[in-house]
């Protein structure tokens, strides 16, 4: 179970007393709730662009009671990353921009999906062996031009190394996308989603039911990369959270 990590890109953990099953939401989006021995626990993704000057507000309804709760946030220090890539990934042409826009819609829909699924365990096994970057949240500058922050963890491994499913899931989306290259998105239920990018080969198809330990594909260097690695990203309530907070061995 993740621990309380109250900063942008982190995870807020809120315990809720036993009783009827609560519905929890943030900014109108439903939030993952697991049952514990003492009641329930809400596991909330905190947006990377959330201001730390204001508390995070969540709504809890349980039976007839409605409660609004504030969670104090603290700042964290994300680095700056400078990378050099093929210029087509920094200044895409007209046709590429159209393709990127269409892909964005598919990817966003998969990352924001809500699927009713009881969950007792929200801990991921590592999807690949290799050194992990701590670059989640880094502000990135590609070929001297600022781009959106890094929303995942990079695991370095040789091309062809296996990538395994870290927690039971349904395959939500597979495809060859402009920036992400060969990609798999897994839906673990209740808005917990994981994303795997730059694959050499994809070994699953949309709608497949996969179990922890199954092979979903192999590490590659497709899309906007500087070399072979796995880009592994995790999402809660539609927002990217640091995968290190969800791994069994952080
Ligand atoms: Zn990455």
């Amino acid at each position: 179970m993740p621990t309380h990590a109250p900063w942008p890109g982190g995870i807020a953990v809120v315990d809720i007393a036993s009783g009827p099953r609560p519905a929890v939401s943030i900014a109108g989006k439903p939030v993952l709730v697991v049952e514990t021995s003492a009641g329930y626990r809400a596991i909330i993704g905190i947006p990377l662009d959330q201001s730390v000057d204001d508390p995070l507000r969540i709504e809890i309804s349980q039976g007839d009671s409605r409660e609004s709760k504030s969670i104090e946030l603290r700042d964290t220090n994300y680095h700056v990353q400078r990378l050099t890539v093929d210029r087509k990934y920094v200044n895409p042409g007209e046709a590429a921009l159209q393709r990127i826009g269409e892909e964005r819609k598919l990817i966003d829909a998969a990352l924001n999906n809500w699927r009713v699924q009881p969950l007792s365990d929200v801990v991921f096994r590592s999807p690949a062996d290799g050194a992990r970057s701590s670059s989640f949240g880094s502000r990135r500058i590609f070929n001297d031009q600022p781009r959106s922050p890094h929303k995942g963890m990079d695991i370095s491994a040789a091309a062809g190394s296996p990538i395994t499913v870290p927690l039971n899931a349904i395959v939500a989306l597979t495809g060859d996308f402009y920036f992400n290259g060969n990609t798999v998105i897994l839906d673990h239920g209740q808005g917990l989603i994981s994303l795997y990018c730059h694959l050499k080969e994809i070994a699953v198809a949309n709608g497949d039911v996969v179990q922890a330990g199954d092979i979903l594909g192999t590490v590659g260097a497709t899309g906007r990369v500087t070399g072979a690695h796995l880009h592994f990203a995790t999402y809660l309530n539609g927002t990217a959270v640091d995968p290190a907070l969800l791994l069994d061995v952080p």
Side-chain angles (χ1 to χ4, degrees), residues 150 154 229 231:
H150 189 228
D154 292 332
H229 73 280
H231 174 91

Side-chain angles (χ1 to χ4, degrees), residues 57-120:
R57 303 200 75 86
I58 62 163
E59 310 297 327
I60 304 172
S61 37
Q62 188 175 27
D64 294 333
S65 97
R66 302 263 176 289
E67 190 194 350
S68 181
K69 208 174 170 83
S70 297
I71 300 160
E72 294 297 328
L73 299 179
R74 58 176 190 262
D75 221 339
T76 187
N77 188 24
Y78 292 128
H79 305 283
V80 176
Q81 221 183 1
R82 289 178 183 276
L83 301 158
T84 304
V85 293
D86 189 304
R87 49 184 282 248
K88 75 175 182 182
Y89 292 117
V90 182
N91 299 109
E94 189 99 358
L97 283 173
Q98 176 138 8
R99 176 182 162 190
I100 291 163
E102 281 158 19
E103 292 174 356
R104 191 71 256 167
K105 283 184 228 160
L106 288 173
I107 295 166
D108 282 346
L111 297 180
N112 283 282
N113 191 49
W114 181 264
R115 185 168 66 83
V116 174
Q117 167 74 41
L119 286 171
S120 55

